[in-house]
Amino acid sequence: MNIAASVGPALALEVADAQSIAELRHQAEGCTRCDLYRNATQIVFGEGPGAAEIVLVGEQPGDQEDVTGRPFVGPAGRLLDACLEEAGLDRRRCYVTNAVKHFKFTPRGKRRLHAKPNAGEIRRCAWWLGAELNILQPKLVVSLGASALYALLGPKAKLTPERGHILHPANHPPVLVTIHPSFLLRVRDEAERHRLHLEFVSDLHKAAEFGAR
Ligand code: URA
């Protein structure tokens, strides 16, 4: 696959211009680049050290992230934390962000059910993700799930065949492709869930080793 041709596409040809993550976050607070800001409580921007060598990219904030304003603090985040720990990767040394920065949901009674962001929303939000990566210049980007992969590498990159691989797109930091932790939460079969869990931890371990180089 010629990843080079599809790099950052998705990642927008143009991205926000800022000197620091703090400045970028400030700009993003007023984001109206797509309609998702209308129903979300607030923008959930990336967080982590400015010198982070590893950037983790998820899909979009969930219900708890929307309320707290912090990425990966709900059930998927807790599972991610446990898997990172098993893999020997310290979350506090990573920058954690999402392809899409506002929570997209469908109201169902009192609940707000996660709704998948579409390609246009991901592309519009790449304005922020691309700028985060420009500022951070990480050693490695870990792509969690299909939406992150789309945001990072465009439509040609496919999760299943690339899972567990580190791709080296031109003009872009290397990307480790793996699943999204919420996928593990949805697998009913215990043996299958255990197998996928081990694979996920092994992928994160690769990221830890890469970051330590
Ligand atoms: N899922 C994501 O992709 N990101 C979060 O921040 C939380 C859940």
Side-chain angles (χ1 to χ4, degrees):
M1 178 178 52
N2 178 12
I3 304 269
S6 60
V7 169
L11 253 212
L13 297 172
E14 286 182 66
V15 300
D17 184 19
Q19 300 306 311
S20 67
I21 293 293
E23 185 188 341
L24 195 62
R25 173 195 296 268
H26 184 68
Q27 289 178 18
E29 275 160 13
C31 184
T32 55
R33 292 181 57 79
C34 76
D35 280 343
L36 296 182
Y37 76 96
R38 293 182 188 278
N39 297 323
T41 307
Q42 58 189 316
I43 194 153
V44 179
F45 211 70
E47 66 174 29
E53 295 190 329
I54 297 181
V55 171
L56 307 175
V57 183
E59 181 187 71
Q60 63 159 345
D63 185 74
Q64 293 186 31
E65 287 80 12
D66 173 74
V67 172
T68 59
R70 297 188 53 215
F72 279 106
V73 294
R78 286 192 289 278
L79 179 57
L80 176 64
D81 287 351
C83 293
L84 286 170
E85 199 175 327
E86 269 183 70
L89 191 52
D90 186 349
R91 173 168 170 167
R92 289 167 306 183
R93 292 182 52 214
C94 301
Y95 181 89
V96 181
T97 192
N98 282 302
V100 170
K101 311 289 197 244
H102 281 111
F103 180 34
K104 180 175 181 182
F105 61 91
T106 310
R108 186 71 49 81
K110 286 188 181 160
R111 297 181 62 209
R112 305 188 298 170
L113 302 184
H114 166 276
K116 206 173 161 52
N118 63 38
E121 288 154 352
I122 294 174
R123 219 175 291 122
R124 295 220 153 233
C125 219
W127 172 262
W128 303 115
L129 179 61
E132 286 173 293
L133 296 179
N134 274 349
I135 292 168
L136 294 163
Q137 300 278 326
K139 252 189 186 174
L140 182 71
V141 180
V142 179
S143 169
L144 302 167
S147 296
L149 188 59
Y150 180 78
L152 291 161
L153 297 179
K156 289 188 187 151
K158 298 290 175 225
L159 180 56
T160 305
E162 302 295 1
R163 206 224 93 243
H165 297 162
I166 297 180
L167 307 179
H168 293 268
N171 306 320
H172 197 288
V175 177
L176 170 73
V177 181
T178 191
I179 58 167
H180 192 286
S182 66
F183 176 61
L184 292 178
L185 293 172
R186 292 195 301 269
V187 176
R188 292 279 170 93
D189 183 80
E190 204 178 319
E192 178 65 354
R193 190 170 59 245
H194 183 63
R195 187 184 71 75
L196 291 166
H197 179 109
L198 293 180
E199 266 183 12
F200 183 50
V201 171
S202 151
D203 293 347
L204 296 176
H205 184 65
K206 270 186 207 163
E209 286 185 325
F210 194 94
R213 274 191 210 159

